[in-house]
Amino acid sequence: MVLSQSGAALEDALNRRLVPFLRRRGWAPRTVSFTGYGSPDSLRVLGRVLLARPGETSTSADVSASSRELDEAEEAQRGWRSFMTAQVAHLPVVVRAGEREFHTRTDRGGYIDLLVPGHGLPPGWHDITIEAKAAEPVSARVLVVSADVRFGLVSDIDDTVMVTYLPRPFIAAWNTFVRHSNARKPVPGMAALYRDVLADHPGAPIFYLSTGAWNVVPTLTKFMRRHDFPLGPMLMTDWGPTNTGWFRSGQEHKRTALRRLVIEFPDIQWLLVGDDGQHDPLIYGELAREHPDHVAAIAIRELTAAEQVLAHGTPNAPEEPATSRQAQREHAVTVVSGPDGEALADALRGALPSA
């Protein structure tokens, strides 16, 4: 605990020195918006404020962002910039949704994560405005899920919708320094599976849940568009020291995000899609045991032997955790597996609730 607190304190101290240094050289706050979501009762607004060189403006990395905006957002957080561009902590921010105005501040990492109650927006996609102090206003796309919706989809990203063919420890560096998303390959049939499932359940949301960092969202969004995946909010995490550890736990990030979705959408049953290369079967099985009424089915993509080696160092998948078997046995939660989207679609046929 002492070491991790010292790490966070060191990061904060460095940032406090870097921000004034860059501001004296004309750098100014720049807002990057991410895709938000919510219900008719509340809305979650997401974004980040960084310092940018003179002449660079605020931009979007949400589902409605243009190719130019995604390129700019990607460039602002890629390579050496991800280390040299400072986040702006504790900066006042105004969010305008419909006719209402809400106030918040960025956190120590420069992130905006605001829960907006009583926003007044009807179900569907909307544009709201995020205006950080001394930064240009930026538009952010948000999805309001109807109270009548009873089904949704949550998908992992790495090894579930795309494969990078790199050892898992190297993916962070790859995401930071390699620019082109066409270096990643889609998992066959997954985009079609998601499109078909959502077509069968009008109004159902899709969330992409990953242990990846927020700075890869522009790259991932371009990848999703190129390969015709349905677009939806991405629930990412961040790296670096915290008050509880040197680095954030990817498993805990996924557990927390899933439980939050259960709370935010108490009437929705989720199709949870992941892979068997890491911890998805365990995490999804835990949720199914804790909240069986909120899990429609679990679909696990089986990695090839080569992909298993890249994921965790051995050619065999980790043993199926007891939580998945118990959820299937005790609560009749459907658990299927297959090597690609086509096989998973066949296994899921007839297993999902009707619209």
Side-chain angles (χ1 to χ4, degrees):
M1 175 67 76
V2 173
L3 288 175
S4 58
Q5 288 177 337
S6 299
L10 176 61
E11 182 184 52
D12 291 342
L14 291 173
N15 197 59
R16 283 195 298 269
R17 288 164 174 76
L18 181 59
V19 168
F21 174 81
L22 294 177
R23 291 294 295 268
R24 289 195 295 271
R25 282 152 179 77
W27 292 49
R30 170 183 183 173
T31 305
V32 179
S33 65
F34 303 123
T35 305
Y37 68 91
S39 68
D41 297 323
S42 63
L43 188 69
R44 188 180 183 189
V45 179
L46 300 165
R48 195 181 192 191
V49 181
L50 306 168
L51 280 185
R53 294 179 300 179
E56 294 182 340
T57 60
S58 296
T59 190
S60 298
D62 57 42
V63 297
S64 66
S66 66
S67 296
R68 178 189 61 79
E69 288 175 319
L70 291 174
D71 288 341
E72 291 177 354
E74 183 181 46
E75 186 67 18
Q77 302 179 90
R78 179 164 296 283
W80 64 270
R81 295 174 187 270
S82 66
F83 300 100
M84 293 301 295
T85 301
Q87 65 266 23
V88 186
H90 314 302
L91 187 71
V93 175
V94 178
V95 173
R96 296 182 175 86
E99 301 298 323
R100 302 200 60 187
E101 186 176 287
F102 304 88
H103 295 259
T104 187
R105 288 179 178 268
T106 58
D107 67 10
R108 59 179 294 272
Y111 290 99
I112 302 162
D113 190 347
L114 175 65
L115 188 65
V116 174
H119 50 79
L121 298 175
W125 287 100
H126 301 276
D127 290 312
I128 64 171
T129 302
I130 301 175
E131 185 172 353
K133 184 178 180 180
E136 291 186 5
V138 63
S139 176
R141 197 74 165 164
V142 296
L143 173 63
V144 178
V145 180
S146 172
D148 298 329
V149 170
R150 296 292 181 266
F151 177 83
L153 195 160
V154 175
S155 173
D156 178 47
I157 297 178
D158 285 324
D159 293 327
T160 300
V161 304
M162 72 178 190
V163 181
T164 309
Y165 295 107
L166 280 177
R168 188 64 61 97
F170 294 167
I171 289 179
W174 173 271
N175 286 333
T176 299
F177 292 104
V178 179
R179 178 172 183 173
H180 298 293
S181 57
N182 58 9
R184 301 167 175 85
K185 303 299 181 184
V187 174
M190 294 303 287
L193 168 63
Y194 293 175
R195 292 196 307 270
D196 291 345
V197 167
L198 295 182
D200 289 339
H201 297 83
I206 181 170
F207 290 86
Y208 293 97
L209 175 58
S210 173
T211 58
W214 285 102
N215 67 340
V216 302
V217 167
T219 302
L220 294 177
T221 300
K222 291 196 293 186
F223 176 90
M224 300 290 186
R225 286 182 179 175
R226 179 176 295 112
H227 299 288
D228 206 19
F229 281 88
L231 298 181
M234 294 187 187
L235 304 178
M236 314 296 285
T237 187
D238 190 30
W239 298 313
T242 72
N243 291 330
T244 56
W246 279 106
F247 296 97
R248 290 160 176 79
S249 166
Q251 293 185 54
E252 286 309 310
H253 162 64
K254 285 192 171 183
R255 288 187 178 100
T256 300
L258 288 169
R259 288 168 180 146
R260 179 167 183 166
L261 289 176
V262 167
I263 293 171
E264 291 171 329
F265 302 103
D267 297 319
I268 287 183
Q269 282 190 308
W270 299 96
L271 167 60
L272 307 177
V273 187
D275 64 81
D276 66 357
Q278 292 284 329
H279 306 290
D280 290 342
L282 171 65
I283 295 169
Y284 291 169
E286 288 175 349
L287 188 74
R289 289 193 65 201
E290 295 171 5
H291 303 282
D293 293 340
H294 294 276
V295 178
I298 297 172
I300 300 298
R301 187 218 163 205
E302 299 168 335
L303 273 60
T304 65
E307 291 168 348
Q308 293 287 359
V309 171
L310 296 175
H312 55 80
T314 67
N316 299 316
E319 183 180 357
E320 182 186 5
T323 49
S324 293
R325 295 193 296 270
Q326 289 173 335
Q328 191 169 25
R329 183 175 62 251
E330 297 172 4
H331 303 290
V333 174
T334 298
V335 181
V336 303
S337 59
D340 54 32
E342 184 176 353
L344 291 177
D346 289 340
L348 285 169
R349 192 163 288 116
L352 300 179
S354 58

